Amino acid sequence: MPMGVDGQERRSGREEFAFRLDQLITLSGLSPPEIAEATDVARRRAPGSTDRIPVFSPQRLSDWRRGANVPQKNALDVLVRVLLNAAGNRGASASLPHRFSNVAYWDVLRAAAQGERRAGRSSLSGGEMPAGPVQLPTPDDRFVGREEPLRTLMAWLEPGAGESKGLERRRPGEQGSQDGSATVVRTTASAAALEVIGMGGVGKTTLVVEAARRAVARGWYPGGVLFANLRGHSPSHDAAPDETLDAFLRTLRPREEPLPVLAEKLRRWRQLLDELAAQQRPLLIVLDNVRQAGRITELLPALPHRALLTSRHTHPDAIRHRVVLAPFPPAEAELFVRLRLREPDQDSVTAPDRVAMPAHEEQVRRIAELCGWLPLALRIVVAVLRTEPDRSLRERVDELARNLLDGMEDDDTDAEGRPLTVRACFSFCYGHLATSRARAFRLLAAAPGQDVSTDAAAVLLGVSVDAARLALRGLAGMHLLERSRRGSHELSETALEHWSMHDLLRLYAEERGRIHMEEDGRATAVVRLLHHYHAAARSAAAIPRATGMEEVVSVLYAQRRAEVWLEAERVNVVEAAISAPASAWRVDLALELEEFFSKRHYHAEWARLAAAAVDACRQGYGDRRKEFRTLGDLAEALTGLGRFDEALAALDDADEVAGLLGHRAPALVVQQRGVVLAEAGRLEEALRSYERAYALFHEAGDQAGLADTLRRIGDTWCGLGRPAPAETAYQTAVTYYRMVNDTPGAAAALGSLGNTQAALGHHEEAIESMMIATDYAARNRDVGSHIIGLCNLGLAFHSAGRLRESMEHLRAAEQQARMFLYHEDLLGAVLLRLGLVLKDRGRFRAAHAAFAEAVDVFRELGDAQRLAEAEWTLTRLRRIMERQRLRRRRRR
């Protein structure tokens, strides 16, 4: 059997498919008869005719599992869905590789097993990278119509398609037709982006999600699909570019350390796009609800990647291609109603006499006309009509007509001035809600943020979680809510489950809520939810500390769970704090979360929360000391966003407050001013600020401040290419850190000192500094720093010619990296450095094994940059080994 690049046996396409399917079946815990039974149920529930999906017999499953043959695509989709659900139910989700939940991954495996070649996609055998992540909302279960716009989108999405392929040329600014067809407008803007524009509720998101789903199924975007709702038309704050960019980078490279500055994030984003393009793995980006395209221009990719946008506004300066979406044409609207009125497994409209559909064509046409052929109104109205099967369809439609006429208003028009019956349709549906669900509908509009979890909804409604879920699912069944899952598998099901409203529905629910404010207890409910967010965020931020090395792992996992919750809910938490009236708890929350926001580099949310906290302090809800701290947080967050002038202005305000707080506060302001200047690349000015801060701390006798300032002075000297004065600054900083018993600070300063001494060629001094730093990291139970310290120490011993000690420390670093799975991303770096040392010592086989495993680790992590470095190093080593083999052959 041929060998792969990692030295292991390479499986054929069919063997790879069978191997991965066997893995998934094992993790599901189901026996072949159980799989056959479960898949048969799923097969019968699948939309469309079941005769297109074969019966799942144990023998057929056995053939697929051993690679005797390959299932059809529709059969494979059903099988994978059943197995993933079974694995999740038995708690095996954590053991599932991330790519297993990606539909496109199984499509590629199947194509490779059948010997097919899909456009723009390579085979997965031989160590090729798997398909990228696919982030799309749950598709509409019955996508109807939109043939012409969908054909236009698919022609544009096809990789390698020319700019004008399948697109109609129009003059810039020309409006599209009103019959539901597509119009494309040309400008001089981005060629790799297309925007779908139209009024609210016209089905823009449904259309682009369906197009993206079909593109993935055809294997067009092996780099993956990234989806972001920018909330441009939501009552809550729309998503900042920095927030969206953070989400994209964390999705593509989840193991990489977050970058602190927006400019660095943009550079990394462009680098990742270039890497994917070089690998012939184009990426599709879907940006939903864009209000101002200028804000997200830098996120837009270049070909071969593409971006789909939805908006209610035209952006001719930023987007070249455009599809104008109108309400359904009458025929498509009637088909939409006809299909959704049917009962599952029935061919007739829901009616007591079960009369065939043609007898109800007149009522179907009336429903479509009464809803203005608008998809959002049609979906909701039909859901209500289905709730009363004991009444004739004519009676229900007559009631709909009466309600719509009563609910119409003269000014009820859309953004383009056309008559719109959306509010009247909402009124009709709202009138059919039970009292408890109507209250839930009204209160959910008061929840701050983009959505609400089931847990949070229970708090808002003041009911049990089970009762809340029942109400939420009832509203979702009537299409008044949309359900999604957000967060990590480490969260509970009720924390993962999130619910959101279309912004038009939310505005209507808000109107109803103001009318029924007293009977709903709206004010009390909102306060209850705000306190829930505050208490949960405070608990998550208060990370427990280990009292012994044996507790490190449990503490790390506790920290991870806390961060996972904050990751999932941070936008809602910030929105809750900002939307509430100014209060002391807003200030306290901002101060409690400063470590989390700083560590995770969520500068956009941090800046908003810190600014709101500063405003609350100035209204009397925080003392001078808290105002000073929140101003410092605001400056740090603005620095992370690259808004350096605003950060310096915040520090000017902090300087005014600092004069009332003693000698230390003015010195801290000057020190932080140096940090801002250093981040802005103004190193000489930063050095002068640090020197002034040093003088102020010295005057105040503040040894901790002296230590921090000296370490920053050392960093600045290194940035200026002056290692000698940097060494002196670090040495003095270590002395001060020891005087105040700050071992974490001392460890950081010693690590920097060791690297500086190694650069100066002072190897023995570097070894001594790094040994002490590593010892401090162990005392602090800082596993990550300890692994890095051991690795750097091994390299320092190697540079000093102390080979045995070098190998001891590198092997110790490797052992710890394998032991603490939370730090598995460090294993690849340790193996790469271990391999380099082994190669220098002439131990080529051992070096080859280390390099090959590093390649595996980086590939599994999806770290393309370090993967390329490891593969290049491995290739060079193989060439050396091949030359040695040839020399030995000649000597014989």
Side-chain angles (χ1 to χ4, degrees):
M1 186 175 290
M3 302 293 289
V5 294
D6 56 359
Q8 297 179 354
E9 292 182 342
R10 178 187 297 174
R11 288 182 285 268
S12 67
R14 181 162 294 193
E15 289 170 338
E16 181 71 16
F17 175 84
F19 175 72
R20 297 304 178 189
L21 183 60
D22 183 72
Q23 268 190 306
L24 183 55
I25 290 175
T26 302
L27 290 169
S28 74
L30 296 178
S31 65
E34 290 173 329
I35 295 174
E37 181 181 355
T39 50
D40 190 55
V41 172
R43 181 179 72 92
R44 295 179 183 277
R45 291 179 178 174
S49 175
T50 58
D51 57 12
R52 298 178 56 201
I53 305 176
V55 177
F56 291 79
S57 66
Q59 180 59 48
R60 178 168 282 167
L61 290 168
S62 176
D63 291 344
W64 293 342
R65 194 170 185 176
R66 58 189 174 85
N69 51 46
V70 181
Q72 300 173 9
K73 183 186 184 314
N74 48 12
L76 178 62
D77 290 345
V78 172
L79 176 61
V80 169
R81 186 165 63 250
V82 166
L83 295 176
L84 289 173
N85 287 338
N89 291 337
R90 66 189 295 260
S93 299
S95 304
L96 282 170
H98 174 71
R99 58 184 178 273
F100 276 22
S101 59
N102 188 341
V103 175
Y105 173 75
W106 293 99
D107 287 344
V108 177
L109 280 178
R110 178 180 171 276
Q114 290 186 327
E116 300 171 353
R117 292 186 61 85
R118 291 180 178 265
R121 189 185 292 272
S122 302
S123 168
L124 287 182
S125 61
E128 295 291 340
M129 297 182 69
V134 176
Q135 294 181 324
L136 285 173
T138 304
D140 197 332
D141 54 351
R142 289 176 180 170
F143 185 83
V144 176
R146 301 301 195 191
E147 293 183 5
E148 183 60 30
L150 188 59
R151 187 181 302 115
T152 301
L153 289 186
M154 298 307 295
W156 183 81
L157 285 170
E158 184 176 358
E163 273 192 25
S164 59
K165 182 175 181 179
L167 302 180
E168 181 182 355
R169 287 186 176 273
R170 300 278 183 183
R171 291 189 301 275
E174 185 172 343
Q175 294 299 316
S177 62
Q178 301 304 311
D179 61 355
S181 61
T183 300
V184 177
V185 180
R186 300 291 186 176
T187 70
T188 58
S190 172
L194 181 148
E195 63 177 352
V196 177
I197 61 171
M199 59 189 289
V202 80
K204 301 181 294 293
T205 303
T206 301
L207 175 64
V208 298
V209 168
E210 178 66 16
R213 186 189 67 79
R214 296 188 183 191
V216 169
R218 297 181 187 185
W220 286 354
Y221 291 93
V225 180
L226 300 181
F227 180 92
N229 183 357
L230 301 188
R231 310 189 298 275
H233 308 289
S234 172
S236 62
H237 185 79
D238 56 340
D242 186 74
E243 175 187 333
T244 305
L245 189 58
D246 262 334
F248 285 172
L249 291 176
R250 291 169 196 273
T251 299
L252 290 176
R253 297 293 181 265
R255 299 290 181 176
E256 287 188 3
E257 184 69 20
L259 295 169
V261 182
L262 179 59
E264 294 179 7
K265 295 175 185 177
L266 286 170
R267 281 195 296 271
R268 182 60 179 140
W269 171 242
R270 294 296 175 191
Q271 183 183 10
L272 288 176
L273 292 177
D274 291 343
E275 290 173 2
L276 289 171
Q279 297 163 7
Q280 297 184 343
R281 302 175 69 231
L283 178 76
L284 177 61
I285 302 164
V286 181
L287 300 175
D288 195 24
N289 288 319
V290 177
R291 182 171 57 181
Q292 298 176 342
R295 296 191 68 197
I296 49 88
T297 302
E298 293 177 309
L299 292 178
L300 299 180
L303 295 172
H305 312 295
R306 295 180 189 254
L308 285 176
L309 292 76
T310 70
S311 181
R312 296 181 194 172
H313 309 293
T314 303
H315 305 103
D317 295 332
I319 312 299
R320 175 176 297 185
H321 307 299
R322 187 163 302 110
V323 171
V324 180
L325 200 63
F328 277 135
E332 291 187 3
E334 291 168 19
L335 176 61
F336 184 95
V337 174
R338 192 178 300 116
L339 291 177
R340 288 175 180 272
L341 275 175
R342 289 178 179 172
E343 288 278 18
D345 303 323
Q346 297 289 339
D347 292 328
S348 60
V349 174
T350 306
D353 50 0
R354 299 293 184 186
V355 178
M357 175 62 74
H360 293 282
E361 285 299 328
E362 180 184 353
Q363 306 308 323
V364 169
R365 281 193 293 273
R366 288 181 66 197
I367 295 169
E369 291 173 2
L370 288 169
C371 293
W373 304 284
L374 194 69
L376 176 64
L378 287 168
R379 182 180 293 111
I380 296 172
V381 165
V382 171
V384 174
L385 293 175
R386 286 172 55 91
T387 61
E388 297 179 304
D390 55 331
R391 298 173 59 197
S392 71
L393 184 60
R394 181 184 295 275
E395 289 180 12
R396 285 173 280 165
V397 177
D398 287 343
E399 180 189 356
L400 170 65
R402 290 193 299 272
N403 276 271
L404 293 187
L405 289 174
D406 293 341
M408 289 292 289
E409 299 176 10
D410 293 337
D411 60 349
D412 196 13
T413 59
D414 65 22
E416 299 174 11
R418 295 178 299 211
L420 178 62
T421 60
V422 171
R423 181 181 287 109
C425 289
F426 292 168
S427 297
F428 169 72
C429 302
Y430 174 75
H432 282 72
L433 292 177
T435 303
S436 60
R437 289 189 181 175
R439 176 178 179 269
F441 177 64
R442 296 190 297 264
L443 284 178
L444 287 169
Q450 57 186 339
D451 55 23
V452 61
S453 69
T454 302
D455 284 339
V459 174
L460 177 69
L461 301 178
V463 298
S464 68
V465 172
D466 290 338
R469 179 181 279 179
L470 186 64
L472 293 166
R473 289 186 173 178
L475 292 171
M478 297 182 71
H479 298 284
L480 298 176
L481 289 180
E482 295 293 333
R483 177 179 178 270
S484 62
R485 288 168 61 88
R486 188 159 53 80
S488 167
H489 65 273
E490 298 164 73
L491 296 173
S492 67
E493 178 65 23
T494 52
L496 282 170
E497 197 174 45
H498 281 73
W499 309 84
S500 59
M501 279 185 186
H502 190 284
D503 57 289
L504 296 180
L505 275 168
R506 186 161 187 163
L507 289 172
Y508 177 79
E510 181 70 25
E511 291 177 3
R512 299 293 96 192
R514 285 196 293 269
I515 295 172
H516 298 273
M517 187 177 297
E518 293 299 328
E519 64 182 272
D520 289 345
R522 183 186 179 96
T524 303
V526 172
V527 170
R528 192 165 55 235
L529 179 61
L530 297 180
H531 283 295
H532 162 74
Y533 278 138
H534 184 204
R538 171 182 288 177
S539 175
I543 300 169
R545 304 295 179 183
T547 58
M549 195 64 186
E550 67 280 357
E551 297 183 20
V552 168
V553 175
S554 62
V555 169
L556 286 173
Y557 282 121
Q559 178 181 1
R560 174 61 182 165
R561 283 192 298 272
E563 289 184 350
V564 163
W565 185 89
L566 280 174
E567 291 263 5
E569 295 288 352
R570 70 183 191 282
V571 175
N572 290 337
V573 169
V574 171
E575 198 66 41
I578 294 174
S579 63
S583 60
W585 80 265
R586 178 194 291 178
V587 179
D588 293 341
L589 179 67
L591 296 177
E592 289 158 0
L593 294 183
E594 61 184 0
E595 182 179 351
F596 169 78
F597 282 127
S598 177
K599 177 182 177 182
R600 302 300 296 165
H601 304 295
Y602 287 130
H603 295 121
E605 291 95 340
W606 192 13
R608 294 185 64 224
L609 182 58
V614 170
D615 182 63
C617 287
R618 289 173 176 171
Q619 293 183 46
Y621 294 103
D623 57 23
R624 288 288 186 178
R625 192 166 298 281
K626 289 183 177 179
E627 182 181 357
F628 176 76
R629 285 184 61 190
T630 54
L631 281 166
D633 289 345
L634 177 60
E636 186 176 344
L638 292 170
T639 302
L641 292 172
R643 294 156 59 180
F644 303 117
D645 290 340
E646 294 175 67
L648 292 172
L651 289 176
D652 288 339
D653 293 341
D655 198 26
E656 295 180 9
V657 180
L660 305 174
L661 300 177
H663 296 289
R664 177 175 170 79
L668 287 171
V669 173
V670 176
Q671 183 191 71
Q672 192 166 358
R673 192 181 300 276
V675 173
V676 176
L677 293 169
E679 291 291 342
R682 298 157 61 178
L683 296 181
E684 295 287 353
E685 295 176 73
L687 188 60
R688 288 195 291 272
S689 288
Y690 289 142
E691 289 171 346
R692 183 178 164 218
Y694 177 85
L696 291 173
F697 280 126
H698 190 272
E699 181 181 346
D702 190 330
Q703 294 174 336
L706 287 170
D708 288 336
T709 304
L710 284 166
R711 181 161 61 86
R712 296 183 187 279
I713 288 174
D715 294 340
T716 308
W717 279 124
C718 287
L720 291 168
R722 302 278 302 279
E727 180 184 20
T728 303
Y730 287 136
Q731 287 172 335
T732 313
V734 170
T735 301
Y736 280 118
Y737 277 126
R738 285 171 173 166
M739 292 171 68
V740 295
N741 295 319
D742 184 351
T743 52
L750 282 164
S752 299
L753 175 61
N755 290 329
T756 304
Q757 290 168 330
L760 289 168
H762 305 160
H763 299 301
E764 294 301 329
E765 292 89 340
I767 289 171
E768 183 180 356
S769 298
M770 289 180 180
M771 287 184 71
I772 301 172
T774 305
D775 181 58
Y776 281 173
R779 284 195 229 167
N780 297 331
R781 285 85 181 174
D782 188 342
V783 178
S785 296
H786 192 242
I787 293 171
I788 294 171
L790 287 171
C791 188
N792 288 336
L793 192 53
L795 294 178
F797 276 121
H798 180 67
S799 299
R802 297 165 62 175
L803 303 181
R804 181 181 62 79
E805 293 158 296
S806 171
M807 289 303 303
E808 286 177 357
H809 286 83
L810 287 169
R811 290 295 187 190
E814 178 192 4
Q815 181 182 7
Q816 284 204 18
R818 293 184 190 281
M819 183 186 306
F820 295 100
L821 298 179
Y822 185 75
H823 291 284
E824 61 185 357
D825 52 325
L826 294 176
L827 178 60
V830 173
L831 288 169
L832 193 58
R833 285 155 178 77
L834 176 62
L836 291 172
V837 172
L838 290 168
K839 181 175 76 70
D840 288 348
R841 296 186 62 182
R843 298 175 56 184
F844 295 141
R845 288 186 179 276
H848 184 281
F851 288 147
E853 188 177 359
V855 167
D856 286 343
V857 171
F858 292 139
R859 181 180 292 122
E860 182 68 24
L861 296 175
D863 190 335
Q865 185 176 9
R866 291 196 292 179
L867 174 63
E869 177 188 357
E871 287 181 334
W872 179 78
T873 307
L874 182 61
T875 300
R876 289 190 62 194
L877 178 62
R878 285 176 173 166
R879 289 173 181 168
I880 294 172
M881 295 174 70
E882 179 63 19
R883 286 196 295 269
Q884 280 195 339
R885 188 181 63 81
L886 291 174
R887 281 197 294 268
R888 287 195 298 269
R889 181 181 296 177
R890 291 193 192 101
R891 292 194 193 102
R892 297 193 190 114

